[in-house]
Amino acid sequence: MLVNNNPQAVSTIEKLKRTDMDPANAAASTLYSGAVQAAQQTVTVPVVQKNLDAATDRIDEAFAKTRVQLQTSASTSDVSSTSATSGARSEFTDYMSKTPAERIREQLLKEQGLTEADVQNMSQEKQDAITKQVADRLKQQQEQQVAAKTADPQAQTVKETLAAL
């Protein structure tokens, strides 16, 4: 077996085995990468940059138009939205200030298509019948609440948790 212990010969052989050290490959690689880079820079970068700039301009324009529309609609609807908000708020506070019996009475009259004025014009017996219906519904509602609380404490806890969400 022949063994060459000469360090220069071993390193020369190793250098020749590496493809990146081959002079022909290195030259071809350099030429190829240089040509590709030049082609990319001259062709794609300006086209891509122009498209990107155009897209950015369209986005900015759309945003500006939307902002102007929102500002004009906000200034014209400030008066109407304020009155609508205060109207809704007053309706809500009026409803919440009523007792459960008053809420049930209002609901019952709405179901029957009656107003308070209609009830006032009715005979005393009909007024008493409506009052009795309100009392029955109120009692039924209270019984349901008591039954729900005492039936299953764990289920009640789940219901309260879900209601809180």
Side-chain angles (χ1 to χ4, degrees):
M1 172 177 195
L2 290 171
V3 176
N4 188 355
N5 289 333
N6 186 356
Q8 285 180 335
V10 172
S11 66
T12 304
I13 293 171
E14 287 178 8
K15 285 182 184 178
L16 291 177
K17 287 182 182 177
R18 292 182 56 190
T19 57
D20 62 336
M21 297 304 285
D22 182 24
N25 274 346
S29 175
T30 303
L31 287 174
Y32 178 75
S33 67
V36 168
Q37 287 177 356
Q40 285 177 344
Q41 288 177 351
T42 59
V43 175
T44 58
V45 171
V47 171
V48 170
Q49 189 63 39
K50 287 179 185 175
N51 290 340
L52 184 61
D53 289 342
T56 303
D57 291 342
R58 287 192 302 269
I59 290 170
D60 290 342
E61 182 181 354
F63 179 73
K65 285 180 181 178
T66 304
R67 184 173 181 187
V68 168
Q69 289 174 348
L70 288 173
Q71 287 175 343
T72 56
S73 67
S75 64
T76 58
S77 67
D78 279 345
V79 174
S80 62
S81 67
T82 303
S83 63
T85 304
S86 64
R89 180 176 290 155
S90 65
E91 285 180 34
F92 176 73
T93 54
D94 289 345
Y95 179 78
M96 292 308 292
S97 65
K98 294 179 182 177
T99 64
E102 290 173 335
R103 291 181 201 159
I104 290 174
R105 180 179 175 90
E106 185 178 301
Q107 181 182 5
L108 182 68
L109 293 178
K110 186 183 283 186
E111 288 173 3
Q112 294 179 359
L114 299 172
T115 62
E116 284 292 332
D118 294 338
V119 174
Q120 295 295 327
N121 293 333
M122 289 182 176
S123 65
Q124 186 62 37
E125 293 122 11
K126 290 183 180 180
Q127 288 180 8
D128 291 342
I130 290 175
T131 306
K132 186 176 183 315
Q133 288 178 341
V134 170
D136 290 342
R137 282 196 185 182
L138 183 62
K139 183 178 177 184
Q140 187 179 32
Q141 185 182 38
Q142 289 173 348
E143 288 173 357
Q144 288 174 350
Q145 289 175 351
V146 169
K149 286 184 180 180
T150 58
D152 187 9
Q154 186 176 10
Q156 181 63 24
T157 305
V158 171
K159 286 180 184 176
E160 289 173 357
T161 304
L162 291 175
L165 296 175

